[in-house]
Amino acid sequence: MNINQINKLIKQDIININFEIHKRLKSNIILINKFIKYIINSGGKKIRSTMILLIAKSLTYNKTQHTILATLIEFIHTATLLHDDVIDHSTTRRGKTTANIIFGNPASILIGDFIYTRAFQMMTELQSLRILSLMADAVNIIAEGEILQLTYCNDPTITMNNYMQIIYKKTARLFEVASQSSAILAHANIQQEQALSNYGKYIGIAFQLIDDLLDYNASDIVSFGKNIGNDLNEGKLTLPLLHAIYHSTPKEASIIHQAITDKNNQNLLYTVLNIMQQYGSLDYTRKCAETKINKAINCLNILSPSPYKHALKHLAYFILTRCY
């Protein structure tokens, strides 16, 4: 089952989400409408919202609030991307010029805030204090993750524990809270809720690991829509680099340290790529992601057989094979 087949299974719900996105972000301020139109047309697979829909359906949820939950998760994700692109001085995303380049940094930050607050307005419609509390906590943790990443920028002494903290906070936590909230909305029992929360967490960690891998994978770079080595240029020490440092010679490790410390040092990029290739750092990163995906799939044993459970399994596999 591929991503198109998964989307076909929840086709009407996706239509409803797109309707909600347009309705909720509509404004009488012209700049907001232009900005939102550009974002919507920039695409995206909506993996987090797809996960929410499939979990709700797998638990036989038959109401409509799961589309509200899925929409507000997309809003939170979009707002974080807008802020990230400003912080990272990004120029492309998904192969297209980023909104901050088109509309400027101030507009990107403010409209990111606008989308964030719209998400919180929608949370109250779910009439669940637990979900509201989880979401508020998650957004705070995401902000912590971004600050933690900024703290360790250009720092070659970052540890594996530091790195895992960052990717959990800035990426996996939103996946985790999305899946857990969907389980709560569908009145899952405690065991189901915990298993599905873990499913989201493992999916989120794997997603970021693959993201970090793709940043150095030249064969996937065209469809990924990024320039190869962006993380290195921004001074971000991710798992492929950490693995290379731990397994390389002192001289090779010092080269990687220099590349991390000297921001935007393109001269060392291909030397670093060769070091990672020599020690199998990209393969190691993929294997780590595969381990997390297998853990995520095992979490689905809590669910009864259904087409939606089957789709959740293949959504996990899609994380490993994606090239964007």
Side-chain angles (χ1 to χ4, degrees), residues 219-276:
S219 63
D220 289 328
I221 215 68
V222 174
S223 51
F224 189 40
K226 287 175 65 177
N227 295 320
I228 189 168
N230 269 2
D231 288 344
L232 188 67
N233 289 336
E234 293 164 8
K236 296 176 183 175
L237 214 168
T238 57
L239 185 57
L241 288 176
L242 279 169
H243 181 271
I245 288 173
Y246 291 158
H247 291 82
S248 62
T249 66
K251 182 179 179 180
E252 290 167 335
S254 70
I255 292 172
I256 298 175
H257 283 186
Q258 183 182 348
I260 288 294
T261 304
D262 299 344
K263 197 170 183 179
N264 294 321
N265 191 340
Q266 276 287 331
N267 295 328
L268 294 176
L269 174 59
Y270 288 98
T271 302
V272 171
L273 287 174
N274 287 333
I275 294 171
M276 288 193 292

Side-chain angles (χ1 to χ4, degrees), residues 69 71 109 181 214 239:
L69 176 61
T71 303
I109 293 169
S181 296
L214 288 171
L239 185 57

Side-chain angles (χ1 to χ4, degrees), residues 122-175:
M122 295 175 69
M123 285 178 209
T124 62
E125 297 176 27
L126 299 177
Q127 298 183 329
S128 170
L129 189 57
R130 274 200 72 203
I131 293 177
L132 180 60
S133 178
L134 281 169
M135 289 290 176
D137 177 68
V139 171
N140 183 259
I141 287 174
I142 291 167
E144 280 188 347
E146 294 293 348
I147 295 168
L148 194 61
Q149 181 171 264
L150 183 64
T151 301
Y152 286 112
C153 190
N154 302 114
D155 184 356
T157 65
I158 184 174
T159 66
M160 186 69 74
N161 183 56
N162 298 145
Y163 169 74
M164 293 305 296
Q165 275 188 313
I166 290 169
I167 67 171
Y168 170 72
K169 287 175 177 287
K170 82 181 193 74
T171 301
R173 181 56 180 154
L174 188 58
F175 280 89

